[in-house]
Amino acid sequence: MSGPLFPTSLVGSYPQPDWLIDRGKLAGRFPPRVRARELWRIDAVYLRDAQRDASRLAIADQREAGLDIITDGETGRESYSNAFATALDGVDIDNPGTALDRSGHPNPVPRIVGPIKRRHAVNVADLAFLKEHAGDGKAVKVTVPGPFTMAQQAQNDFYASVEEAAYAYAAAVRDEIADLFASGADVVQVDEPYLQARPDAAREFGVGVLNAALEGITGTTAVHLCFGYAAIIHERPSGYSFLPELAACSASQVSIETAQSGLDCSVLAGLADAGKTVILGVLNLGDPAVESAELVADRVSRALPYVPAKQLVLAPDCGMKYLPRESAVGKLRAMTAAAAKLRAAAS
């Protein structure tokens, strides 16, 4: 991809309207791993149309704020992972299993009962809608849950090991990514928060599984790690438990958070040296107050000693969907204003 210095993007999600989803229920629970249709306020007959209307709003807000790379805001999803994970063959979602979430609490999850296979494209129709409404030649990004994370968010009653299950998920993710690029995606991001949450297992097979999901893929790919949604997990560790290892992955971009955690950006030098573009989280989603453009630019500047400007994309920290919409819009405007300041200073 080519474009301006310091391009701006969402990580993936954007606030869903209150008329679409019960935001109180959404914020009061961990992200669902199985379907959670009780979250939607709209009758099932009209739900798809309502989700499309919400996507139009999300896309319009991004365009108005001046973002360079547009997503559909994931407005039709109950969580980042469950729509894809529950669309696969080999999982029993009617009789779910149990797995511990990243805070150590048990959560209902898909139960693997047979070979994991993708039966059909899951996100291609959403991509077509996004491309239709993004307009003006804007680059578009689609997110898919990663194979390592989905294997951690399932009860494995079929494969000999979680690692074997993860490689099966990787094949399904690879098929989805291939279809997304064939359908015109500019960036496909693989969400792998459990590389951070389960670093010991990640060091054993996390990069291998991620590379299997990207094997043969030639488009611009990103892998996203986070510390957990700020609206749910309030304490930020001072650093990532698994990050330098991603220098060996096949993804061309690595998406991380720095704003709320105050991350020591020196850890990014190894990724930059490996040629990775860093999607830098520079908006604090633990506080709905809108930052100034100067504060956001200062957060970007902390990374510049370690990552060349041409290898940076600016983004929020993870989990923008939990913010009030007016706060989200204001923060995006601050981010694009910061990007403009940084571009002017670099010229």
Side-chain angles (χ1 to χ4, degrees):
M1 290 178 59
S2 61
L5 279 178
F6 306 108
T8 53
S9 173
L10 291 179
V11 173
S13 73
Y14 191 72
Q16 293 153 304
D18 290 289
W19 50 258
L20 176 66
I21 204 163
D22 189 325
R23 289 171 53 83
K25 287 182 179 178
L26 181 73
R29 57 170 297 169
F30 279 90
R33 312 305 184 201
V34 294
R35 295 313 304 265
R37 293 181 174 88
E38 69 277 6
L39 294 176
W40 302 105
R41 295 187 186 273
I42 306 295
D43 187 279
V45 175
Y46 308 109
L47 181 58
R48 190 62 168 164
D49 287 343
Q51 291 166 339
R52 290 287 195 238
D53 286 343
S55 291
R56 287 188 182 91
L57 293 174
I59 293 166
D61 281 359
Q62 292 170 75
R63 285 172 53 84
E64 188 276 333
L67 266 61
D68 300 293
I69 303 162
I70 309 295
T71 81
D72 69 356
E74 300 177 2
T75 56
R77 303 187 193 183
E78 296 150 7
S79 79
Y80 71 95
S81 62
N82 73 329
F84 186 86
T86 57
L88 303 174
D89 282 334
V91 296
D92 185 345
I93 58 175
D94 296 320
N95 301 286
T98 302
L100 298 180
D101 59 34
R102 64 189 300 163
S103 68
H105 294 95
N107 217 3
V109 296
R111 191 166 59 90
I112 305 173
V113 295
I116 295 290
K117 292 183 180 179
R118 192 191 66 145
R119 66 171 71 105
H120 55 73
V122 179
N123 297 298
V124 166
D126 291 338
L127 169 61
F129 184 89
L130 170 60
K131 286 178 64 66
E132 178 185 356
H133 293 277
D136 294 343
K138 289 280 190 181
V140 297
K141 179 171 79 170
V142 181
T143 63
V144 296
F148 181 87
T149 292
M150 284 191 287
Q152 299 291 325
Q153 294 177 352
Q155 179 175 308
N156 175 27
D157 290 347
F158 179 77
Y159 290 99
S161 65
V162 174
E163 179 177 356
E164 186 179 342
Y167 275 97
Y169 277 117
V173 172
R174 184 178 63 246
D175 290 345
E176 181 75 5
I177 294 172
D179 279 348
L180 289 168
F181 279 124
S183 300
D186 296 292
V187 183
V188 177
Q189 178 177 294
V190 181
D191 291 334
E192 283 285 19
Y194 273 60
L195 292 175
Q196 159 69 18
R198 305 279 163 80
D200 292 338
R203 278 185 275 274
E204 290 180 23
F205 57 89
V207 170
V209 167
L210 176 60
N211 286 346
L214 300 177
E215 185 177 359
I217 301 296
T218 57
T220 300
T221 55
V223 56
H224 169 68
L225 277 71
C226 70
F227 296 120
Y229 293 136
I232 298 172
I233 299 176
H234 306 291
E235 297 297 323
R236 307 279 101 172
S238 59
Y240 279 90
S241 60
F242 186 92
L243 186 60
E245 294 88 344
L246 290 177
C249 81
S250 301
S252 51
Q253 302 182 350
V254 178
S255 170
I256 51 94
E257 301 178 292
T258 73
Q260 191 181 356
S261 68
L263 183 75
D264 180 354
C265 291
S266 64
V267 72
L268 305 176
L271 298 175
D273 290 344
K276 307 299 184 190
T277 290
V278 175
I279 303 174
L280 194 73
V282 292
L283 296 177
N284 180 359
L285 306 189
D287 183 352
V290 175
E291 297 97 326
S292 68
E294 291 75 18
L295 175 56
V296 177
D298 285 344
R299 289 173 180 161
V300 178
S301 296
R302 294 193 305 111
L304 287 173
Y306 311 105
V307 184
K310 65 182 180 181
Q311 289 173 237
L312 283 176
V313 174
L314 310 189
D317 278 4
C318 181
M320 183 163 263
K321 68 187 293 181
Y322 292 97
L323 284 181
R325 183 181 172 199
E326 60 271 20
S327 176
V329 171
K331 285 175 178 284
L332 293 184
R333 289 172 181 157
M335 184 171 69
T336 57
K341 288 178 177 292
L342 292 163
R343 289 167 191 156
S347 62

